């Protein structure tokens, strides 16, 4: 049986990954989820597995020395590192938390994982480390790093520290760089869940600039299967790009959401552009496809349909977040965050 340490497993992608792995491996896997429960961490995302005999939650900051206790008392086959400050707009307003978690936290985790002989360190990164594209071309694993926001710069810093652990100590790492994820349980500060929930509430839909920026979307379960593939077949030291073959302008995404939501009083509102707004991302994922045999399975049309349906049937999940109820609950359970 394999034992995995997952960081940031109460967030959007990490919680899908935990449910995915427990679904695939059942009782042949054991997962320790280390999460600090920041504003983005939500244990409701793990309701379905909270009583699974091989799932364990540990409330801990990855950037704290006490994290070592967990490594002392367990042997981990792999660390899958999702924990991060993940929102670009927040990084523009206040950058230091991004350095604390994404850079310092990653180095601390690397140090403990290496000290306690973890067999594989899978670092979850982003296509944003490559910067921005013009109208043509796509990011390969050899595209030079050129991050433009404090968020992407902090992720690029983490990527370089992970790379250095391999080059210096031959510590067996992989870096997985993925494009924009969407799906159930995504925090409603990100484009797709913000627009869906605002449309259900009849609120304005704030589109930055002219809405012509392009993102390359991937349904979250496709990213989870890509990470599983890298854990099983990835070559130590290698970087793998992951994408979903779905480039769309933001305005087209918002119009598709309006169509799927149907009856709403919401209207598109063009607002001030994001500072340093990257124009276009597009991922070339031929390496993971050709070398490890992975491909995305869910089309954007199908994934968006499933996502809108999920937010419609799980209104309490996002209403609690938008109204602050879930923060109050955690503060009562776990103290002030
Ligand atoms: P998220 O913001 O939904 O979740 C982040 C999780 O990390 C939360 O549960 C939070 O509580 C936890 N966390 C934050 N700081 C922590 C700390 N110091 N110690 C322990 N836990 C901490 O993020 P997400 O969208 O699920 O992204 C997960 C990872 O995937 C991130 O590393 C992100 O950079 C990367 N990524 C995201 C996308 C995307 O589109 N969302 C795309 C590519 C890569
Ligand atoms: O590319 C991967 C990255 O995708 C991840 O590394 C990040 O963690 C994740 O947050 C995401 O970053 P983006 O900045 O691309 O995602 P966001 O959902 O914030 O914005 C998507 C696009 O929509 C972007 O061009 C900005 C625009 N936007 C966003 C919001 C929140 C709007 O027009 N209006 C909005 O209100």
């Amino acid at each position: 049986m394999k034992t995995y340490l997952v960081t940031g497993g109460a967030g959007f992608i990490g919680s899908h990954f935990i449910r995915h792995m427990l679904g695939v491996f059942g009782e042949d896997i054991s997962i320790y989820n280390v999460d600090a429960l920041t504003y983005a961490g939500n244990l409701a995302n793990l309701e379905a597995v909270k009583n699974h005999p091989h799932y364990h939650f540990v409330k801990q900051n990855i950037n704290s020395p006490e994290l070592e206790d967990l490594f002392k008392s367990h042997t981990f086959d792999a660390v899958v590192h999702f924990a991060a400050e993940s929102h670009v707009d927040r990084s523009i307003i206040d950058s230091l938390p991004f350095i604390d978690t994404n850079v310092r936290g990653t180095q601390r985790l690397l140090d403990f994982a290496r000290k306690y002989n973890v067999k594989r360190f899978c670092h979850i990164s982003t296509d944003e480390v490559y910067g921005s594209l013009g109208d043509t071309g796509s990011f390969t694993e050899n595209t030079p790093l050129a991050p433009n926001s404090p968020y992407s710069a902090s992720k690029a810093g983490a990527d370089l520290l992970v790379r250095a652990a391999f080059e210096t100590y031959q510590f067996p790492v992989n870096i997985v760089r993925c494009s924009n994820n969407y799906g159930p349980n995504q925090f409603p500060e990100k484009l797709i869940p913000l627009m869906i929930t605002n449309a259900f509430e009849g609120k304005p839909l704030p589109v930055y600039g002219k809405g012509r920026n392009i993102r390359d979307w991937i349904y979250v379960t496709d990213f989870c299967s890509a990470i599983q593939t890298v854990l099983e077949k990835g070559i130590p030291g290698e970087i793998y790009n992951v994408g979903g073959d779905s480039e769309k302008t933001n305005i087209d995404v918002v119009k598709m959401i309006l169509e799927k939501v149907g009856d709403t009083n919401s209207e598109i509102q063009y607002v001030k552009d994001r500072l340093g707004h990257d124009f276009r991302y597009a991922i070339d994922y031929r390496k993971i496809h050709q070398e490890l045999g992975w491909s995305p399975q869910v089309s954007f049309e199908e994934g968006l349909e499933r996502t809108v349906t999920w937010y419609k049937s799980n209104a309490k999940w996002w209403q609690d977040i938008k109204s602050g109820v879930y923060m109050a609950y955690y503060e009562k359970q776990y103290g002030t965050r």
Side-chain angles (χ1 to χ4, degrees):
M1 183 171 71
K2 294 234 189 308
T3 303
Y4 288 176
L5 189 163
V6 171
T7 71
F12 165 48
I13 308 173
S15 62
H16 275 275
F17 178 74
I18 290 173
R19 285 183 275 142
H20 169 86
M21 293 299 271
L22 290 171
V24 172
F25 294 101
E27 304 213 350
D28 292 333
I29 192 172
S30 184
I31 295 184
Y32 287 77
N33 171 19
V34 173
D35 198 298
L37 297 182
T38 68
Y39 79 93
N42 186 349
L43 291 178
N45 295 343
L46 294 154
E47 199 58 31
V49 296
K50 71 173 187 200
N51 296 321
H52 190 290
H54 294 172
Y55 166 73
H56 314 272
F57 176 66
V58 182
K59 185 179 182 290
Q60 182 71 268
N61 193 315
I62 55 158
N63 193 18
S64 98
E66 288 83 55
L67 186 63
E68 186 164 10
D69 295 344
L70 194 64
F71 285 90
K72 275 187 190 152
S73 52
H74 299 85
T75 302
F76 295 113
D77 293 284
V79 168
V80 189
H81 177 33
F82 294 93
E85 288 295 335
S86 70
H87 194 45
V88 173
D89 293 323
R90 286 179 188 259
S91 81
I92 293 167
I93 295 164
D94 184 12
S95 314
L96 281 177
F98 289 72
I99 306 307
D100 291 341
T101 291
N102 301 3
V103 182
R104 289 180 60 84
T106 298
Q107 184 60 49
R108 197 181 288 281
L109 195 63
L110 276 170
D111 288 345
F112 289 143
R114 194 166 56 78
K115 180 171 173 187
Y116 291 92
N117 300 314
V118 172
K119 295 188 198 86
R120 187 61 65 104
F121 189 99
C122 184
H123 174 61
I124 307 304
S125 188
T126 167
D127 59 358
E128 296 198 13
V129 297
Y130 297 121
S132 180
L133 292 164
D135 289 324
T136 57
S138 51
F139 300 129
T140 74
E141 289 80 358
N142 295 321
T143 301
L145 302 190
N148 292 318
S149 72
Y151 162 69
S152 53
S154 69
K155 291 295 289 187
D159 284 20
L160 294 178
L161 293 170
V162 174
R163 178 183 183 276
F166 178 74
E167 297 295 333
T168 307
Y169 311 104
Q170 290 77 53
F171 184 54
V173 304
N174 286 117
I175 298 173
V176 186
R177 294 187 178 136
C178 192
S179 60
N180 285 61
N181 280 236
Y182 69 102
N185 304 94
Q186 188 168 29
F187 197 87
E189 65 187 350
K190 305 282 173 20
L191 178 75
I192 288 184
L194 179 73
M195 297 297 161
I196 294 173
T197 57
N198 277 12
F200 282 136
E201 293 177 303
K203 290 184 178 163
L205 310 177
V207 171
Y208 297 165
K210 296 193 164 82
R212 296 206 188 114
N213 300 63
I214 293 170
R215 296 293 181 264
D216 189 355
W217 296 95
I218 181 170
Y219 192 65
V220 60
T221 54
D222 276 336
F223 187 29
C224 293
S225 72
I227 298 165
Q228 181 193 343
T229 303
V230 171
L231 283 166
E232 289 168 357
K233 302 191 212 160
I235 310 291
E238 291 295 315
I239 298 166
Y240 297 98
N241 280 356
V242 176
D245 269 337
S246 297
E247 278 188 62
K248 303 264 176 267
T249 61
N250 293 338
I251 192 65
D252 282 349
V253 170
V254 175
K255 285 180 179 163
M256 280 177 80
I257 290 171
L258 274 175
E259 211 177 287
K260 291 201 182 296
V261 167
D263 193 24
T264 173
N265 295 324
S266 292
E267 284 179 6
I268 291 170
Q269 217 173 62
Y270 291 96
V271 298
K272 200 164 153 265
D273 210 350
R274 174 183 279 175
L275 295 178
H277 197 173
D278 285 341
F279 173 61
R280 174 172 165 260
Y281 305 143
I283 274 273
D284 178 340
Y285 65 83
R286 272 177 298 179
K287 180 174 171 181
I288 187 170
H289 176 61
Q290 289 169 2
E291 295 180 14
L292 308 187
W294 174 87
S295 318
Q297 302 297 315
V298 183
S299 69
F300 188 70
E301 177 69 39
E302 165 67 21
L304 195 61
E305 181 70 40
R306 287 190 205 173
T307 306
V308 171
T309 304
W310 187 87
Y311 279 88
K312 191 171 187 178
S313 338
N314 290 275
K316 184 167 164 31
W317 182 91
W318 56 265
Q319 282 165 353
D320 278 358
I321 292 174
K322 283 190 152 181
S323 68
V325 167
Y326 103 119
M327 293 291 279
Y329 166 77
Y330 284 118
E331 271 161 27
K332 199 165 152 230
Q333 282 299 96
Y334 295 104
T336 312
R337 296 194 283 169

